[in-house]
Amino acid sequence: MTGQPMVKAEGVHKSYGAAHILRGIDLEVQNGEVFCLVGPSGSGKSTFLRCINHLERIDGGRLSVDGELVGYKQKGDKLYELKDSEVAVQRRDIGMVFQRFNLFPHMTALANVMEAPIQVKGESKAVARERAERLLDRVGLGDKMGNYPSQLSGGQQQRVAIARALAMEPKLMLFDEPTSALDPELVGDVLDVMRDLAESGMTMIVVTHEMGFAREVGDSLVFMDGGVVVESGNPRDVLTNPQQDRTKAFLSKVL
């Protein structure tokens, strides 16, 4: 893991009205790293994730992906917000998987995965289809390509959503609590796909409550609370020997 970080946050602030959600987040995610964000609901984890691909605009600080400012360009010492079309180009490189699967209900699994490369990148149907079939095989759904979302379990829909994000060949994958809406017995299949991705060298930022996954697969772990980074380090170290009282209190409830 050399060179510039894949993600760099410098003093990132975000407010909604009087609610100050992110209060000066500083962190770096290295290329090829699995970076886990944990913490109580309302601590700012999902908001931070959404700022990385400019689904939310930041109110202060700087956020860059692969050395490029996200959502802004700098002229002199001022930042100017990019046009929507310019932001859309940046987003092509960032895959995002949400709690809810957001699949197109009127399209098969295969068509869901083919759609963005055809519409956004202008790929031919043949090229998009070949990749979509390969990705659905990879996530264990080679036999479900012709099924519609309503014919798939929640875990299967989430694996289609992961394949759909990968179809754009992103350099960074963001996961916002990807298993929290699933029945417990379906969680393992989704985590297995994420484990496979990690082993392939994909840079991943994962907001999760799955501490076992964080411990086993994560390279770095950040505990957030109240919009700040309370503690960070090697996941095994933080989870087994937290240094901050706030971290200890949180982990005592979830481990």
Side-chain angles (χ1 to χ4, degrees):
M1 298 182 195
T2 55
Q4 65 192 5
M6 178 60 78
V7 177
K8 185 171 187 175
E10 302 168 89
V12 170
H13 286 260
K14 174 66 187 173
S15 297
Y16 299 105
H20 198 168
I21 307 297
L22 299 178
R23 299 168 176 263
I25 299 291
D26 292 300
L27 56 79
E28 291 188 1
V29 180
Q30 304 306 323
N31 198 12
E33 189 171 27
V34 178
F35 192 96
C36 296
L37 283 172
V38 304
S41 295
S43 58
K45 309 180 302 293
S46 294
T47 299
F48 178 67
L49 213 61
R50 293 170 68 83
C51 289
I52 293 173
N53 63 0
H54 209 58
L55 289 174
E56 303 282 357
R57 65 164 60 84
I58 63 176
D59 298 319
R62 298 161 66 90
L63 195 48
S64 53
V65 171
D66 206 16
E68 191 178 329
L69 278 175
V70 173
Y72 296 88
K73 60 172 174 268
Q74 184 161 357
K75 285 188 182 165
D77 55 0
K78 281 199 161 172
L79 292 181
Y80 296 90
E81 191 160 15
L82 296 177
K83 300 192 193 87
D84 288 348
S85 59
E86 294 170 304
V87 173
V89 170
Q90 287 188 329
R91 276 200 199 115
R92 290 183 190 182
D93 289 330
I94 305 172
M96 186 151 185
V97 178
F98 299 88
Q99 288 181 38
R100 298 284 167 196
F101 327 120
N102 302 336
L103 298 177
F104 297 117
H106 62 289
M107 291 184 178
T108 62
L110 185 67
N112 263 286
V113 179
M114 289 172 60
E115 179 74 358
I118 292 170
Q119 298 299 334
V120 178
K121 284 185 165 178
E123 279 187 1
S124 72
K125 280 192 174 170
V127 169
R129 184 187 183 99
E130 190 273 327
R131 185 190 301 111
E133 289 177 348
R134 190 171 73 244
L135 287 169
L136 286 167
D137 263 335
R138 181 176 178 182
V139 300
L141 294 173
D143 58 338
K144 304 287 185 189
M145 294 187 192
N147 288 37
Y148 289 87
S150 61
Q151 300 169 311
L152 300 171
S153 72
Q156 289 168 334
Q157 289 185 61
Q158 190 62 295
R159 284 185 280 154
V160 173
I162 293 172
R164 181 179 61 179
L166 291 172
M168 289 294 285
E169 302 185 307
K171 54 190 171 191
L172 170 66
M173 284 284 283
L174 308 176
F175 292 89
D176 188 7
E177 298 188 15
T179 59
S180 65
L182 301 180
D183 293 331
E185 67 270 21
L186 302 176
V187 168
D189 290 338
V190 173
L191 293 181
D192 284 344
V193 169
M194 293 169 64
R195 211 173 267 118
D196 170 63
L197 264 185
E199 287 169 4
S200 75
M202 174 64 76
T203 310
M204 298 160 59
I205 304 180
V206 185
V207 172
T208 187
H209 294 297
E210 301 288 340
M211 299 300 162
F213 175 85
R215 182 189 291 113
E216 180 195 340
V217 183
D219 298 302
S220 299
L221 182 139
V222 158
F223 170 65
M224 281 178 67
D225 190 26
V228 300
V229 172
V230 176
E231 188 162 349
S232 63
N234 178 291
R236 275 120 352 246
D237 296 341
V238 176
L239 294 174
T240 54
N241 188 26
Q243 300 301 303
Q244 303 296 324
D245 289 344
R246 185 67 195 89
T247 318
K248 290 176 188 172
F250 172 75
L251 292 176
S252 72
K253 295 189 179 79
V254 299
L255 287 178

